[in-house]
Amino acid sequence: MKIDSSTIRESLLKERQVEYKEELSRKRIWMMIIMILTASFILYVYIHGSLINEEALSSNFREKLMAPSRDHIFGTDHAGRDMYLRTIKGLATSIKVGFIGTIASFLISIIFCILLVVGKEKTDTVVNFLIDGFLSIPHMMFLILISVAVGRGIRGVIIGLALTHWTGLTRILRSEILELLDENYIKISKAMGKSNFYIFKNHILPHLLPQILVGLVLLFPHAILHEAGITFLGFGLSLSTPAIGIILQESMKYITTGHIYLALFPGLMLVFLVLCVNRLGENLKSFLDPNEIHR
């Protein structure tokens, strides 16, 4: 019996399609598990840190500068405070400040995106000029200047994060908007008399949602790191506010005396938190765009 070569090719093609779908399904399930685990860790840090009161962080000089043990897994600081509780509390503060700053940056990006749609070429020129102007200034220096100018503290850091982190997301969304405005269905919608706001809400915004969501998540770890950075340098949160930057700043005085754990564990926890948020954003990007899975 003679087998047709075209039948064999179709059979192999079907098998490959089935294998591709199974592999895609496995990877999506694995990505979903990772996303749930990373999101659970972030929620645990924030909720646990928010529930820690001042009494739990009170000084106990009889237990100062104790090495990590069963009772104090991260050790204690120069005032006898539990370093694990201080670290979790500081990370919760960083998450709160970073989240508010990220949302504020996101709102600025959306405002500029709306202006690009409802405006004309001059609007795009102005937006592009502002992006280039803000990017031309060293990021950390600009953030410090804004934070100091508005009085430091939580308010100063949030305003600084908002005014320095909108450029990257706005540039990505701007390129997407300019491509969409050349599409035929956009031109047809304009010819039918639809308003620019209608076009943005019904034709452009649905296409931008995946980029907005992923960009928002990936913007979050940058905000956390920059908040910790300027606080460590003394231009961010006040010393009375529990923050990772302050913990690391205080620990520098005791590293030379052998108390490395005071900086090691809080620093590792900060890096791990940032990696978790970044991983969450990368998996979300792949989850929304299956083509990213096989790259």
Side-chain angles (χ1 to χ4, degrees):
M1 181 178 179
K2 190 174 180 180
I3 301 176
D4 190 3
S5 59
S6 61
T7 305
I8 297 176
R9 284 197 299 270
E10 290 179 1
S11 146
L12 291 174
L13 182 61
K14 289 180 180 179
E15 290 180 2
R16 290 177 182 175
Q17 289 177 343
V18 171
E19 291 176 357
Y20 173 80
K21 290 180 179 179
E22 290 178 352
E23 182 184 3
L24 183 63
S25 177
R26 286 195 300 270
K27 289 188 175 182
R28 288 174 72 90
I29 292 173
W30 177 242
M31 284 190 299
M32 181 62 72
I33 293 173
I34 294 176
M35 289 168 62
I36 292 173
L37 291 176
T38 51
S40 300
F41 172 74
I42 296 167
L43 286 175
Y44 162 77
V45 171
Y46 179 73
I47 294 173
H48 185 197
S50 301
L51 295 176
I52 297 174
N53 53 31
E54 293 183 1
E55 184 179 352
L57 298 175
S58 60
S59 300
N60 183 4
F61 291 98
R62 290 177 297 179
E63 298 182 350
K64 68 178 182 178
L65 297 177
M66 293 180 61
S69 62
R70 183 181 300 177
D71 295 330
H72 306 285
I73 58 175
F74 284 5
T76 60
D77 64 1
H78 62 284
R81 293 170 294 187
D82 188 277
M83 285 299 295
Y84 174 75
L85 295 179
R86 287 197 72 197
T87 300
I88 296 298
K89 186 70 174 180
L91 289 175
T93 303
S94 296
I95 290 173
K96 178 181 178 181
V97 174
F99 178 77
I100 298 174
T102 300
I103 293 297
S105 296
F106 162 73
L107 293 176
I108 294 174
S109 297
I110 292 298
I111 290 172
F112 280 119
C113 290
I114 295 174
L115 290 176
L116 286 172
V117 176
V118 303
K120 298 182 180 179
E121 293 183 0
K122 290 183 179 180
T123 306
D124 177 61
T125 303
V126 172
V127 172
N128 195 36
F129 173 78
L130 288 174
I131 292 174
D132 292 337
F134 275 75
L135 291 176
S136 64
I137 305 173
H139 201 80
M140 186 63 76
M141 182 184 296
F142 195 29
L143 180 55
I144 291 173
L145 288 174
I146 295 173
S147 177
V148 172
V150 297
R152 302 185 187 181
I154 292 180
R155 186 186 68 172
V157 174
I158 290 175
I159 294 175
L161 292 173
L163 295 179
T164 56
H165 286 69
W166 61 271
T167 52
L169 181 59
T170 304
R171 172 165 282 183
I172 294 173
L173 297 180
R174 171 182 172 271
S175 62
E176 292 287 336
I177 290 172
L178 293 178
E179 289 182 8
L180 290 172
L181 290 176
D182 289 333
E183 296 291 337
N184 289 329
Y185 65 89
I186 299 290
K187 296 177 180 178
I188 293 172
S189 185
K190 287 183 178 180
M192 294 176 63
K194 299 297 183 181
S195 65
N196 289 326
F197 183 76
Y198 175 89
I199 293 172
F200 177 79
K201 184 181 72 172
N202 293 280
H203 297 313
I204 294 179
L205 187 58
H207 287 276
L208 296 180
L209 281 179
Q211 289 89 339
I212 290 174
L213 187 58
V214 173
L216 194 60
V217 175
L218 293 177
L219 192 63
F220 189 34
H222 289 277
I224 293 176
L225 279 177
H226 285 128
E227 177 274 320
I230 65 171
T231 300
F232 174 79
L233 294 173
F235 301 103
L237 304 183
S238 62
L239 294 176
S240 60
T241 305
I244 287 293
I246 294 173
I247 293 174
L248 295 176
Q249 183 189 68
E250 292 176 350
S251 65
M252 294 297 103
K253 305 174 186 177
Y254 302 94
I255 288 182
T256 55
T257 59
H259 301 91
I260 302 176
Y261 60 88
L262 293 176
L264 178 63
F265 293 117
L268 288 177
M269 286 291 287
L270 174 63
V271 172
F272 186 68
L273 175 67
V274 170
L275 290 177
C276 283
V277 179
N278 191 67
R279 184 68 174 178
L280 180 63
E282 293 292 340
N283 283 332
L284 183 62
K285 179 181 179 182
S286 299
F287 191 81
L288 294 175
D289 184 7
N291 293 325
E292 293 283 342
I293 296 178
H294 296 280
R295 291 182 182 177

